[in-house]
Amino acid sequence: MEVKEYLQNAEDSMQLAVEYLDDTLSHIRAGKASARLLDGIRVNYYGSQAPISNVANISVPDARTIAITPWEKSMFKEIEKAIINSDLGVTPENNGEVIRINIPPLTEDRRKQLVKQSKAEAEQAKVSVRNARREAIDGLKKEIKNGLSEDVEKDAEGKVQKLHDKYMKNIDEVFALKEKEILTV
């Protein structure tokens, strides 16, 4: 039972690392408009901080534009202020009906910066996967003292290593996709 628990915990941790990486990379602007770019931006809504999606409709009419239609007129200024103060690096345009964000094409230098940032995020995910492997192996070694046979422990270590390799490959694939997306002009 203990062996299955260690394997399951390790796999869960590794899966979470890949999911977190995928989510983090989705917030990195790659030159294309996406409603997910606004996920981390909060606006002041009656004294509390709320995501833009909770106070407005967000649409992506074309590859370079995000359109935000606030449900209340009073939210126009709040949403504009939040976007300007965010690290998105764009200026919203307000025509009184809709707030438009034009996503400019990325410069070559900015593309390289974003690839570097994405690579750093991928490395963080790899560190998390390695830590999950180490914790599982350490736990299995402690179980030997509690009566687990060394053969069973070695087999379990091999399974943990296979999980590690699988998730490292997943991280490389996720990063490669994001890198391609960023570098595609």
Side-chain angles (χ1 to χ4, degrees), residues 43-51 54-55 71-72 74-75 78:
V43 294
N44 185 14
Y45 185 63
Y46 295 110
S48 65
Q49 296 295 311
N54 287 9
V55 298
W71 297 328
E72 299 173 24
S74 63
M75 292 309 297
E78 291 292 336

Side-chain angles (χ1 to χ4, degrees), residues 154-172:
K154 284 292 177 204
D155 289 345
E157 253 185 62
K159 288 177 183 170
V160 170
Q161 185 60 42
K162 280 184 182 153
L163 284 173
H164 168 270
D165 296 344
K166 172 183 152 189
Y167 284 102
M168 287 299 210
K169 188 174 178 228
N170 283 3
I171 289 170
D172 288 337

Side-chain angles (χ1 to χ4, degrees), residues 32-168:
K32 286 192 303 222
S34 164
R36 290 192 75 180
L37 291 173
L38 303 176
D39 283 356
I41 301 175
R42 305 264 184 236
V43 294
N44 185 14
Y45 185 63
Y46 295 110
S48 65
Q49 296 295 311
I52 292 177
S53 59
N54 287 9
V55 298
N57 285 328
I58 300 172
S59 61
V60 183
D62 61 61
R64 294 254 180 250
T65 310
I66 300 173
I68 304 166
T69 311
W71 297 328
E72 299 173 24
K73 294 275 186 209
S74 63
M75 292 309 297
F76 275 97
K77 289 278 183 237
E78 291 292 336
I79 292 172
E80 280 185 305
K81 191 166 67 171
I83 292 169
I84 290 169
N85 293 337
S86 74
D87 60 356
L88 207 55
V90 294
T91 306
E93 297 169 13
N94 175 356
N95 67 5
E97 297 286 320
V98 177
I99 298 171
R100 293 193 189 286
I101 301 173
N102 290 316
I103 306 295
L106 298 171
T107 64
E108 191 61 34
D109 286 344
R110 184 70 178 132
R111 287 180 193 280
K112 287 177 182 169
Q113 277 180 331
L114 292 174
V115 167
K116 198 180 276 189
Q117 182 183 347
S118 299
K119 189 164 184 64
E121 293 293 346
E123 277 307 311
Q124 281 298 111
K126 286 182 176 185
V127 167
S128 296
V129 169
R130 287 185 200 111
N131 286 342
R133 175 186 61 181
R134 189 192 69 238
E135 287 169 14
I137 289 174
D138 289 350
L140 288 166
K141 288 189 174 169
K142 286 179 185 163
E143 288 301 320
I144 290 176
K145 293 178 183 133
N146 296 341
L148 183 71
S149 77
E150 287 187 25
D151 290 343
V152 172
E153 187 269 340
K154 284 292 177 204
D155 289 345
E157 253 185 62
K159 288 177 183 170
V160 170
Q161 185 60 42
K162 280 184 182 153
L163 284 173
H164 168 270
D165 296 344
K166 172 183 152 189
Y167 284 102
M168 287 299 210

